[in-house]
């Protein structure tokens, strides 16, 4: 998951840098050529090299192909899941906007409630 979050952060950064450069030079008579947003393959290769230590090029390719498929959603759709979900945007949201603190607090609250219920004779699955 760390590799996918890295890919998402970098994708978001590429899009943001492109937009900022466009806004900075939008009134110029000859604006500079805008940088391209890196492809899923380029991001997957970078994440593979950063987070994994493949033993050979075949293993490296296997890892970055799987990351690329997960990032685009192809991996999940092959399994019959996630039709209609934009996985790239989901991973960007998780990497850039998601707040793990809220989920942690919610889980801690749930643990306290379950403990109280068990102490009062109520069965819980947690």
């Amino acid at each position: 998951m760390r590799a996918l979050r890295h890919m998402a952060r970098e994708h978001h950064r590429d899009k943001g840098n492109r937009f900022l450069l466009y806004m900075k030079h939008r009134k110029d008579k000859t604006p500079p050529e805008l940088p391209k947003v890196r492809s899923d393959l380029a991001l997957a290769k970078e994440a593979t090299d950063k987070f994994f230590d493949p033993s050979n090029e075949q293993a490296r390719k296997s890892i970055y192909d799987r990351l690329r498929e997960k990032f685009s959603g192809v991996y999940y759709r092959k399994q019959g899941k996630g039709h209609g979900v934009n996985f790239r945007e989901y991973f960007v949201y998780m990497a850039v906007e998601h707040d793990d603190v809220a989920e942690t607090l919610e889980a801690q609250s749930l643990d306290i409630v379950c403990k109280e219920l068990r102490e009062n004779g109520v069965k819980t699955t947690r």
Side-chain angles (χ1 to χ4, degrees), residues 69-105:
E69 285 188 350
K70 284 185 173 186
F71 192 64
S72 69
V74 169
Y75 173 84
Y76 303 104
R77 285 189 268 292
K78 283 181 181 177
Q79 297 176 354
K81 301 174 186 174
H83 293 284
V85 175
N86 184 334
F87 283 93
R88 188 175 295 103
E89 292 305 315
Y90 166 76
F91 288 121
V92 168
Y93 166 77
M94 293 299 289
V96 177
E97 297 181 34
H98 183 68
D99 182 7
D100 291 326
V101 174
E103 282 188 4
T104 301
L105 292 172

Side-chain angles (χ1 to χ4, degrees), residues 52-86:
F52 299 93
D53 186 22
S55 56
N56 57 46
E57 188 56 33
Q58 183 180 0
R60 181 176 181 263
K61 183 179 181 333
S62 176
I63 293 168
Y64 70 66
D65 280 344
R66 175 70 57 93
L67 286 173
R68 184 176 48 111
E69 285 188 350
K70 284 185 173 186
F71 192 64
S72 69
V74 169
Y75 173 84
Y76 303 104
R77 285 189 268 292
K78 283 181 181 177
Q79 297 176 354
K81 301 174 186 174
H83 293 284
V85 175
N86 184 334

Side-chain angles (χ1 to χ4, degrees), residues 111 113-124 126:
D111 287 341
V113 169
C114 288
K115 180 182 174 197
E116 287 289 325
L117 288 171
R118 283 192 302 275
E119 288 174 358
N120 288 292
V122 178
K123 280 187 165 185
T124 65
R126 189 170 171 114

